[in-house]
Amino acid sequence: MEKMRILPELLAGDIAGEVILILGQVKVWLVVPFLRIFMYINLAMSLMLFVEKVYMAMVVAINKLFGKKPEQRYKWEPFEKYDDVELGSSVYPMVLVQVPMFNERDVYELSIGAACRLSWPCDRIVIQVLDDSTDPTIKVMVQMECQSWATKGMNIHYQVRDNRKGYKAGALKEGLKHHYAKECEYVVIFDADFQPEPDFLTQTIPFLHHNPELGLVQARWKFVNSNDCLMTRMQEMSLNYHFTVEQESGSISYAFFGFNGTAGVWRMAALDEAGGWKDRTTVEDMDLAVRASLKGCKFLYIGSLMVKNELPSVFKAYRYQQHRWSCGPANLFRKMFSEIMTNKKVTWWKKLYVLYSFFFVRKIVAHIVTFTLYCVVIPATVLIPEVMVPRWGTIYIPTIITLLNAVATPRSFYLVAFWIIYENVMSLHRTKATFIGLFETQRVNEWVVTEKHGDASKVKASTQQNQSRFKISERALCGDYSIWMCLLRSCVWGIQLLRLPLSTGDSIHHNGLRLYWYSSFRRLVDNVHSLCDYLVQKKVV
């Protein structure tokens, strides 16, 4: 007990002063130069992202004011125009609709029903349900639903596999091997939570049918549960920007964008020429899109055509989804860099766009700089005031980038402050996933299917509140809490630094700063001493 009393008294003496001097020298010779270089690197990345955001916004704005609609840029005529009594429905091309699913208890009826209600001649459409479910009960339910639609005259096939190799890519690839699939000219993909309107095919197929250079037509997502909670509102803001600006600008400028993996129509010939589905990354859709683009295919995005779907309403599910969406593109960039550079079918300008704008800036720099600049560098400069971040790097550029993101969802503009906090919290996980993809470490091929609730979302949420089956490790997000505590401490110290005396030459007086560090260390020692006394009094030690 006496030793515990003596320790704080020793620390309060000359040792505290020596420690302060050593820390001061380490800061001057090591920490400050490193932080300054790190700051310049982050400012450069921030400027790259800023230029990319402004460029895409300008492309979309100019197109809105002076551009042409998709129907004016490409030939489009309805198939009804060619209706003929003798030809019948043969004027309509054969279309395959693939619906991959995995243990989708709550949404399988909605997705299968929406696919079967598509307006297209029954003898010219094939519905293929690719069920990788591991739950026998769900498999029986999905199979019975398919049989129910088959009795109504729908050409629907229920397909299963012996294994889940390749996950979604493997299921789609396996589905195309069937004889009836090879007879189809176009293939449409809808994930299990997507509910297209009946006129989806009549709005998209004519573009592909009348324009041989087009290989893909992509529709926009419409979120049915965006009002469920604040988290879904934040996701809506981010994804609306993706569809309104990123996808639109890519379609307008280069006829290329990343396929979203669902709510899109592929020309079967273009898919085959690109090499089909590959499961080498967790973004098989983006992989296919890049390979098809390198073969000379053009893509068309139709922002006015929306398909209903569901956003993750559980934070754990959203984290898994963001890991896949951040890790996969970085890993694909690593795998396809040389393939893109050596390609001879596309121009160097398009290669530069794919490598620099599409991959490097949007898929790598955007994730890294959000975390390193706003969650590391700026808080560190609060603790180390010798390094000053320029005002344009902390105020002007972030403000413009934030406004450009927010205008895509006008109804949520008042939530922009929450969106900033939300994006900074998620930046930790996205940055980690990006590095995992770049260096191909342990979780590079991790695939966790995003849980979907459908109409049962509210019922399921209320049920989960009464259950306590989650592990402690799933509840305690140690990384999030650590970053939060670090940022909170930086804010407190920043407020205290503002109270230090200022001199005419320096922004912060050296003696005042040294005194501040010394007094902070002394307060820490006093707190330890008080804690020891308390533990002794309570007979804890």
Side-chain angles (χ1 to χ4, degrees), residues 325-372:
W325 287 3
S326 302
C327 177
N331 189 232
L332 184 62
F333 175 71
R334 171 194 174 106
K335 291 180 181 297
M336 294 201 68
F337 182 85
S338 59
E339 183 178 347
I340 296 172
M341 287 293 294
T342 56
N343 184 272
K344 297 181 179 180
K345 289 190 176 183
V346 297
T347 63
W348 277 99
W349 184 250
K350 191 167 186 177
K351 292 180 185 179
L352 178 64
Y353 170 75
V354 174
L355 287 174
Y356 175 78
S357 298
F358 180 77
F359 272 117
F360 186 65
V361 177
R362 296 188 221 167
K363 309 302 180 184
I364 297 177
V365 168
H367 299 323
I368 295 175
V369 75
T370 303
F371 174 69
T372 55

Side-chain angles (χ1 to χ4, degrees), residues 40-86:
Y40 290 141
I41 294 174
N42 277 270
L43 289 177
M45 291 193 296
S46 180
L47 191 59
M48 293 164 59
L49 182 62
F50 170 75
V51 172
E52 180 68 15
K53 296 273 188 180
V54 172
Y55 167 74
M56 291 189 295
M58 290 177 61
V59 169
V60 174
I62 293 173
N63 183 71
K64 290 290 184 182
L65 295 174
F66 311 106
K68 297 180 180 180
K69 296 181 179 179
E71 296 83 359
Q72 297 171 325
R73 291 159 49 201
Y74 295 95
K75 183 180 179 181
W76 187 92
E77 291 180 354
F79 286 102
E80 291 82 355
K81 180 179 178 180
Y82 303 99
D83 280 351
D84 189 286
V85 176
E86 296 181 0

Side-chain angles (χ1 to χ4, degrees), residues 9 17 26 31 35 88 99 101 109 158 180 184 187 209 270 308 351 363 365 381 390 462 504:
E9 295 176 0
V26 171
V31 178
L35 181 60
V99 185
M101 56 179 58
E109 289 180 292
Y158 174 75
Y180 59 84
C184 296
V187 56
H209 188 74
K308 297 178 182 178
K351 292 180 185 179
K363 309 302 180 184
V365 168
T381 58
S462 62
T504 57

Side-chain angles (χ1 to χ4, degrees), residues 119 140 215:
S119 299
V140 172

Side-chain angles (χ1 to χ4, degrees), residues 195-427:
Q195 305 166 44
E197 295 296 331
D199 65 344
F200 180 87
L201 295 181
T202 59
Q203 293 294 321
T204 55
I205 298 295
F207 282 109
L208 293 166
H209 188 74
H210 298 298
N211 302 276
E213 71 275 17
L214 287 179
L216 166 68
V217 174
Q218 172 74 60
R220 181 173 175 172
W221 298 1
K222 181 180 179 181
F223 313 108
V224 297
N225 66 330
S226 58
N227 292 324
D228 277 7
C229 59
L230 188 60
M231 187 180 77
T232 54
R233 292 289 294 273
M234 301 300 101
Q235 293 178 62
E236 182 191 34
M237 292 180 68
S238 299
L239 288 173
N240 277 350
Y241 173 80
H242 167 70
F243 285 106
T244 305
V245 179
E246 293 182 344
Q247 298 291 78
E248 189 74 51
S249 64
S251 178
I252 295 168
S253 302
Y254 303 94
F256 168 77
F257 48 82
F259 175 45
N260 296 119
T262 179
V265 187
W266 277 95
R267 186 187 302 277
M268 196 73 78
L271 194 152
D272 293 336
E273 186 181 3
W277 294 102
K278 293 185 178 181
D279 57 0
R280 54 181 174 177
T281 67
T282 57
V283 284
E284 74 294 326
D285 43 12
M286 187 181 296
D287 188 349
L288 175 61
V290 174
R291 285 185 282 111
S293 179
L294 294 179
K295 293 294 183 178
C297 285
K298 293 184 178 180
F299 303 161
L300 174 63
Y301 169 73
I302 308 177
S304 59
L305 181 61
M306 300 187 182
V307 181
K308 297 178 182 178
N309 74 300
E310 180 182 336
L311 291 166
S313 55
V314 179
F315 186 63
K316 180 184 176 183
Y318 180 65
R319 284 183 63 190
Y320 280 125
Q321 182 197 70
Q322 291 302 297
H323 173 86
R324 187 172 75 249
W325 287 3
S326 302
C327 177
N331 189 232
L332 184 62
F333 175 71
R334 171 194 174 106
K335 291 180 181 297
M336 294 201 68
F337 182 85
S338 59
E339 183 178 347
I340 296 172
M341 287 293 294
T342 56
N343 184 272
K344 297 181 179 180
K345 289 190 176 183
V346 297
T347 63
W348 277 99
W349 184 250
K350 191 167 186 177
K351 292 180 185 179
L352 178 64
Y353 170 75
V354 174
L355 287 174
Y356 175 78
S357 298
F358 180 77
F359 272 117
F360 186 65
V361 177
R362 296 188 221 167
K363 309 302 180 184
I364 297 177
V365 168
H367 299 323
I368 295 175
V369 75
T370 303
F371 174 69
T372 55
L373 179 59
Y374 304 119
C375 298
V376 177
V377 173
I378 293 178
T381 58
V382 175
L383 307 178
I384 305 174
E386 290 88 347
V387 179
M388 298 292 292
V389 182
R391 183 172 296 181
W392 60 266
T394 57
I395 299 178
Y396 301 140
I397 285 182
T399 300
I400 295 174
I401 290 177
T402 301
L403 292 176
L404 290 176
N405 278 272
V407 293
T409 313
R411 77 184 189 98
S412 300
F413 191 81
Y414 69 99
L415 295 173
V416 66
F418 292 98
W419 180 82
I420 295 172
I421 297 172
Y422 186 77
E423 287 296 300
N424 278 275
V425 169
M426 291 307 303
S427 66

